[in-house]
Amino acid sequence: RKEVEQDPGPFNVPEGATVAFNCTYSNSASQSFFWYRQDCRKEPKLLMSVYSSGNEDGRFTAQLNRASQYISLLIRDSKLSDSATYLCVVNIRNNDMRFGAGTRLTVKP
Amino acid sequence: DAGVIQSPRHEVTEMGQEVTLRCKPISGHDYLFWYRQTMMRGLELLIYFNNNVPIDDSGMPEDRFSAKMPNASFSTLKIQPSEPRDSAVYFCASSPDRDDEQYFGPGTRLTVT
């Protein structure tokens, strides 16, 4: 089993749709979790951290499920500009941060 | 701050040639990371430094790859000799702490023919 796994997609959704991505991790002792966004031919950039209690930033909601060892990202009212690849990042052990392979999202008019 | 600076942005070279990629981290960041990204393997951590000292190079694919950080504002990743399978985008990133947000440079797109 990979240390960090994501559904690669692609997810193709219409504008205004709600879409959710999951990311599973193998080390139950992992403490830190993040979502990054990467636009085509650009570098990854931090979208949001994921806190134990869940957190929201505008249309984006991140949640952590420790029992099942996954994090999720929910995007509401999706915009064309949300089209990108979303990478989950997990601190798997001893401050070793690992990136998932990414989930590609395309929002269509 | 200008952010993480990488050079060159694009590099095309022939198999067997030496390739040197350069990175200037954000001032004050104690951690520097080198990643490689391909369609097949995604984003892979190659090596990271803390205060200019290499901490974990377990991701470096083989002896053809080497990385140095002679001072806090400069790092290089060298491939010698280069092979076509090294073709990828190489990112440098820096962060204030190991568990903090990583700031990525624009990447170097390497093509080895």
Side-chain angles (χ1 to χ4, degrees):
Chain A
R1 180 183 177 188
K2 288 185 181 178
E3 289 164 321
V4 180
E5 284 198 83
Q6 290 184 252
D7 181 345
F11 284 65
N12 297 309
V13 302
E15 262 186 301
T18 296
V19 61
F21 312 131
N22 283 343
C23 170
T24 59
Y25 58 95
S26 60
N27 185 355
S28 60
S30 297
Q31 293 296 322
S32 304
F33 310 88
F34 307 87
W35 282 102
Y36 277 67
R37 170 191 169 131
Q38 185 173 22
D39 293 306
C40 187
R41 301 181 78 84
K42 297 286 190 180
E43 70 273 23
K45 291 184 179 179
L46 180 68
L47 177 66
M48 58 197 304
S49 302
V50 185
Y51 302 124
S52 297
S53 54
N55 47 301
E56 193 173 298
D57 182 2
R59 297 181 294 108
F60 297 82
T61 300
Q63 295 205 313
L64 167 64
N65 185 316
R66 287 196 182 274
S68 301
Q69 293 180 212
Y70 74 86
I71 62 172
S72 64
L73 178 67
L74 180 79
I75 306 175
R76 290 182 300 278
D77 187 24
S78 53
K79 312 290 185 190
L80 296 177
S81 57
D82 295 334
S83 297
T85 296
Y86 292 84
L87 305 162
C88 71
V89 185
V90 178
N91 183 337
I92 60 171
R93 73 180 77 85
N94 298 327
N95 291 327
D96 187 351
M97 305 282 278
R98 294 296 173 94
F99 282 74
T103 298
R104 184 183 298 178
L105 171 67
T106 301
V107 181
K108 300 186 174 182
Chain B
D1 200 316
V4 176
I5 299 172
Q6 290 186 248
S7 65
R9 295 291 304 276
H10 301 273
E11 176 82 29
V12 179
T13 191
E14 292 184 347
M15 183 173 63
Q17 297 298 307
E18 177 180 294
V19 175
T20 299
L21 311 181
R22 297 173 176 80
C23 175
K24 178 178 175 7
I26 293 173
S27 176
H29 283 191
D30 291 337
Y31 286 82
L32 183 141
F33 309 85
W34 282 102
Y35 290 91
R36 177 173 67 177
Q37 188 174 38
T38 61
M39 288 292 292
M40 290 296 293
R41 301 174 68 91
L43 197 65
E44 301 174 279
L45 177 64
L46 300 177
I47 184 172
Y48 79 90
F49 295 82
N50 178 24
N51 292 322
N52 314 338
V53 176
I55 302 300
D56 183 357
D57 65 354
S58 59
M60 296 285 261
E62 48 197 272
D63 292 345
R64 298 184 298 105
F65 286 68
S66 62
K68 294 181 180 179
M69 192 165 185
N71 57 63
S73 59
F74 184 66
S75 177
T76 59
L77 178 68
K78 187 174 293 187
I79 308 172
Q80 166 62 19
S82 57
E83 297 182 2
R85 60 191 168 124
D86 301 330
S87 297
V89 180
Y90 290 81
F91 288 106
C92 174
S94 70
S95 70
D97 200 351
R98 183 66 180 93
D99 206 19
D100 265 335
E101 173 182 359
Q102 295 185 23
Y103 295 80
F104 283 75
T108 294
R109 186 171 296 274
L110 174 65
T111 303
V112 183
T113 60

